[in-house]
Amino acid sequence: MISAERFCDELQRRGFDFASGVPCSFFGGPIALLGREPGRYVPATNEGSALAVAAGAALAGRSSYVMLQNSGLGNLINPLTSLVMTYRIPLLSFVSLRGWPDPAEDEPQHAVMGPTTQPYLRLLGLPNWILRPGDGLEQFRKILGAAQDALRAGRPPFVLVEKGVVGTTEAQPPEGNDTKLDSGEVVRTITKLATDSPIIASTGYTGRELFGIEDRPTNFYMQGSMGHASSIGLGVALAKPDRKVIVLDGDGAALMHLGAFSTIGSQQPSNLIHVVLDNGVHDSTGSQPTTSSTTRLEEVAAAAGYQTWRRCRTLTEVRDAIGSALGSPGPHMCVIPTRPRTGPMPPRATSSLTPESIRGRFTAAIGGAPDATTVSGAS
Ligand SMILES: Cc1ncc(C[n+]2csc(CCOP(=O)(O)OP(=O)(O)O)c2C)c(N)n1
């Protein structure tokens, strides 16, 4: 294992003094360390944006790198191919490998990207190396040397990082949590009021919490596809205008694809209630800060065309907001500052349900069309 300090120092020693990224727990150590020194790390809302920020710094003469999870490679591909590769911008990327080496040992949402991350990069003709847990500093240095050669040759290199390669560091807890709500109590309050509503729960801890508190067929646990819960909710709401649809989002996830607010505003689904549990951090990857403290999400929703928008600081306010949203035309936005979770988390829904069964029972429970994969005899 390479300590987080060594990881950062080795890069700094080689002149890499600017980083951006979206957290993966595999990079929790370096992100926490870099975040302590202003100007060294930009927490981006999505991986494509992280690459573009680093590209901008590189254009301005800084040696830059990005850190991301392989689930975010899709977000990165467009600026990678049309910006970094096209303009030959020297950038180094570290990509954690979830769903690898054995996809069966990780969560199902990583099963496709695990084995295809490296082939993907090969297809793009990009130099890449895998760092394994047994690899120490010497191998890291060797790979960085080869990566720098690739940079000089105008080809963006990728270092693929397995679990347990880089050490951790204590993350600094965000301040001011004492006055915030317990997210479990918030979720319980919402499920009590919305007994019959389809609920789309975001990736991160939100879906786990909902699953632990009240598992129902009308719950869709969105593991993976970070940032898309509200868009899924929009699709459900438009297809089922007679049902009140609730989206339970995280702040990191909502910020990742903030453009969805505008799609929702333009579509005006009167039956959509968008709730953001805003704990200020990417709780499930190790409490790295999101940018929610400087973005008033309810005001973004207002500007995007939501019919109502609120920030709820007490359970009474949550009850009022959800109660009135259930009885009036939306789209509604409800931002709820919550404390990062403590104590043991309930298991993920996929610990006992397959993704297909989550989909199948959800579609059946909300009165959707017959499951296409079970329809036979169609021509
Ligand atoms: C595209 C993509 N990038 C990164 C990740 C890794 N990841 C999983 S959960 C998560 C944090 C989500 O943060 P938030 O929405 O605030 O929810 P919380 O963890 O606080 O419950 C991240 C970064 C991912 N799953 N997908």
Side-chain angles (χ1 to χ4, degrees), residues 51-66:
L51 193 78
V53 170
L59 285 174
R62 302 278 291 269
S63 284
S64 309
Y65 60 101
V66 295

Side-chain angles (χ1 to χ4, degrees), residues 33 50 56 68 78 81 86 153 160 165 180 232 283 289 308 359 374:
L33 280 183
L68 59 133
N78 171 249
T81 54
T86 304
L160 307 178
V165 165
K180 295 181 183 169
I232 297 174
D283 206 2
T308 71
R359 183 207 67 209
T374 59

Side-chain angles (χ1 to χ4, degrees), residues 22-23 47 69 71-72 75 203-206 226 250-253 256 279 281-285 290 341:
V22 174
E47 292 79 2
Q69 186 176 95
S71 56
N75 284 338
T203 196
Y205 280 158
T206 305
M226 183 172 163
D251 50 309
M256 179 166 272
N279 57 22
V281 289
H282 295 102
D283 206 2
S284 51
T285 52
T290 69
R341 286 90 172 173

Side-chain angles (χ1 to χ4, degrees), residues 133-176:
D135 293 336
L137 197 56
E138 202 176 319
Q139 179 65 1
F140 184 45
R141 287 182 174 145
K142 231 187 243 171
I143 288 177
L144 286 184
Q148 286 182 295
D149 289 342
L151 284 171
R152 281 188 281 271
R155 301 169 70 218
F158 279 73
V159 182
L160 307 178
V161 179
E162 290 188 1
K163 188 175 184 177
V165 165
V166 190
T168 54
T169 305
E170 195 72 12
Q172 281 169 340
E175 289 164 9

Side-chain angles (χ1 to χ4, degrees), residues 53-345:
V53 170
L59 285 174
R62 302 278 291 269
S63 284
S64 309
Y65 60 101
V66 295
M67 290 178 278
L68 59 133
Q69 186 176 95
N70 58 346
S71 56
L73 197 62
N75 284 338
L76 184 107
I77 292 292
N78 171 249
L80 173 66
T81 54
S82 61
L83 173 71
V84 172
M85 291 174 73
T86 304
Y87 291 84
R88 293 167 76 91
I89 298 173
L91 271 189
L92 168 62
S93 298
F94 292 92
V95 182
S96 66
L97 287 174
R98 294 292 304 258
W100 171 269
D102 180 3
E105 286 193 1
D106 208 333
E107 297 306 316
Q109 68 270 24
H110 297 294
V112 174
M113 280 313 291
T116 53
T117 298
Q118 196 174 33
Y120 221 138
L121 296 171
R122 284 201 192 116
L123 192 63
L124 293 171
L126 297 177
N128 62 85
W129 302 265
I130 296 185
L131 256 182
R132 299 188 164 82
D135 293 336
L137 197 56
E138 202 176 319
Q139 179 65 1
F140 184 45
R141 287 182 174 145
K142 231 187 243 171
I143 288 177
L144 286 184
Q148 286 182 295
D149 289 342
L151 284 171
R152 281 188 281 271
R155 301 169 70 218
F158 279 73
V159 182
L160 307 178
V161 179
E162 290 188 1
K163 188 175 184 177
V165 165
V166 190
T168 54
T169 305
E170 195 72 12
Q172 281 169 340
E175 289 164 9
N177 282 322
D178 308 350
T179 56
K180 295 181 183 169
L181 293 173
D182 176 86
S183 55
E185 283 182 36
V186 170
V187 172
R188 212 167 282 119
T189 302
I190 293 172
T191 53
K192 268 192 198 141
L193 288 167
T195 48
D196 170 45
S197 290
I199 302 181
I200 320 296
S202 176
T203 196
Y205 280 158
T206 305
R208 288 172 71 160
E209 206 150 52
L210 177 65
F211 180 65
I213 286 169
E214 176 103 30
D215 178 38
R216 297 175 186 158
T218 44
N219 292 349
F220 186 81
Y221 306 103
M222 192 199 76
Q223 295 185 191
S225 55
M226 183 172 163
H228 294 302
S230 61
S231 295
I232 297 174
L234 172 62
V236 174
L238 293 174
K240 287 279 160 198
D242 53 329
R243 306 287 293 259
K244 289 281 180 183
V245 177
I246 297 186
V247 172
L248 281 186
D249 224 342
D251 50 309
L255 287 158
M256 179 166 272
H257 292 300
L258 206 51
F261 285 37
S262 182
T263 317
I264 290 168
S266 78
Q267 288 295 314
Q268 288 293 305
S270 63
N271 53 334
L272 187 68
I273 304 169
H274 189 176
V275 177
V276 180
L277 301 178
D278 180 6
N279 57 22
V281 289
H282 295 102
D283 206 2
S284 51
T285 52
S287 283
Q288 303 86 1
T290 69
T291 55
S292 77
S293 65
T294 47
T295 302
R296 289 180 296 281
L297 288 168
E298 69 280 19
E299 290 182 27
V300 177
Y306 283 55
Q307 289 299 317
T308 71
W309 54 94
R310 293 205 201 181
R311 181 166 284 255
C312 301
R313 297 180 197 281
T314 64
L315 283 180
T316 308
E317 287 176 7
V318 173
R319 255 178 241 116
D320 281 357
I322 301 299
S324 78
L326 285 167
S328 64
H332 305 281
M333 167 57 74
C334 182
V335 178
I336 309 174
T338 54
R339 295 192 288 275
R341 286 90 172 173
T342 48
M345 275 309 295

